[in-house]
Amino acid sequence: PKTRRRDILEACLGAGDGALASGFTAAEVLRLPDVWSRDHINLSVPPRVRRSARGATIAATRFIRAADDRASCDGIPVTSVARTYVDLAVHLPVHVLERSIVQAVRTRLVTPEQLEAAVARGGAREAIDAIKEILAAKAWQDVFRSDSEVRAVQLLRQAGFDDVRTNVELHYAGIRVGEADIFLPEVDMLVEIDGPIDHST
């Protein structure tokens, strides 16, 4: 039956050997978190194999040459999760890219090691720098209880706070007395982010 995924597979087959769904189309096929799908179909093909496919935007790329940059999802040839992030890094706001990568690492869609390897194989300089910065922050190690906490930590890091700790236990006289959402050791400050439940009583 005619479906969106059939259209994507048809475009890949029409573009010839080595064609892969890539960019936002790959993100859609791979179901990457927080990355919205686009109506058009993006394909990548090896150099000198460039062919037209109805309804698809095709780009020749020199970067997709390793087996680890290729994958298959529901029978559709697609760039790997790590390579897709490298391709998307120049098109997504940094906080959206980081949030998506953090969720993908936590749900085991990709590992930091796979991202590091994809970065090492090459890509746009802007993309490489953005992903290296996200890998260095290791934000997937933080514990969050809401999207508001995730966004707050991103804003604090963008503001120059390097040491941002989340869900820190509070002790007084050796007794646990509570927990703070965010702790900034550099300025000795606690940040609490409460939702409507806390403010409705």
Side-chain angles (χ1 to χ4, degrees), residues 2-133:
K2 183 172 176 59
T3 64
R4 167 71 171 173
R5 291 191 169 237
R6 193 198 79 168
D7 290 345
I8 295 170
L9 176 59
E10 189 177 77
C12 288
L13 296 174
D17 293 340
L20 302 167
S22 62
F24 285 104
T25 304
E28 176 185 346
V29 172
L30 296 166
R31 301 179 179 91
L32 299 189
D34 278 349
V35 181
W36 292 5
S37 61
R38 306 296 200 269
D39 290 337
H40 59 273
I41 295 173
N42 288 120
L43 302 178
S44 289
V45 298
R48 298 183 299 279
V49 184
R50 192 169 184 173
R51 290 168 56 181
S52 63
R54 189 176 59 189
T57 301
I58 299 180
T61 176
R62 68 182 189 279
F63 293 122
I64 304 173
R65 50 179 178 257
D68 288 344
D69 287 331
R70 299 171 172 272
S72 177
C73 183
D74 297 336
I76 300 172
V78 64
T79 51
S80 68
V81 173
R83 173 52 53 185
T84 300
Y85 274 124
V86 173
D87 291 341
L88 289 177
V90 295
H91 302 292
L92 294 175
V94 173
H95 70 274
V96 174
L97 179 68
E98 180 181 41
R99 188 165 62 234
S100 182
I101 287 176
V102 166
Q103 292 181 64
V105 170
R106 286 180 174 164
T107 56
R108 297 182 173 86
L109 276 175
V110 71
T111 66
E113 293 75 22
Q114 288 170 332
L115 286 165
E116 288 172 357
V119 163
R121 286 192 292 273
R125 173 50 52 192
E126 182 183 348
I128 298 301
D129 291 343
I131 293 180
K132 280 184 176 179
E133 189 172 326

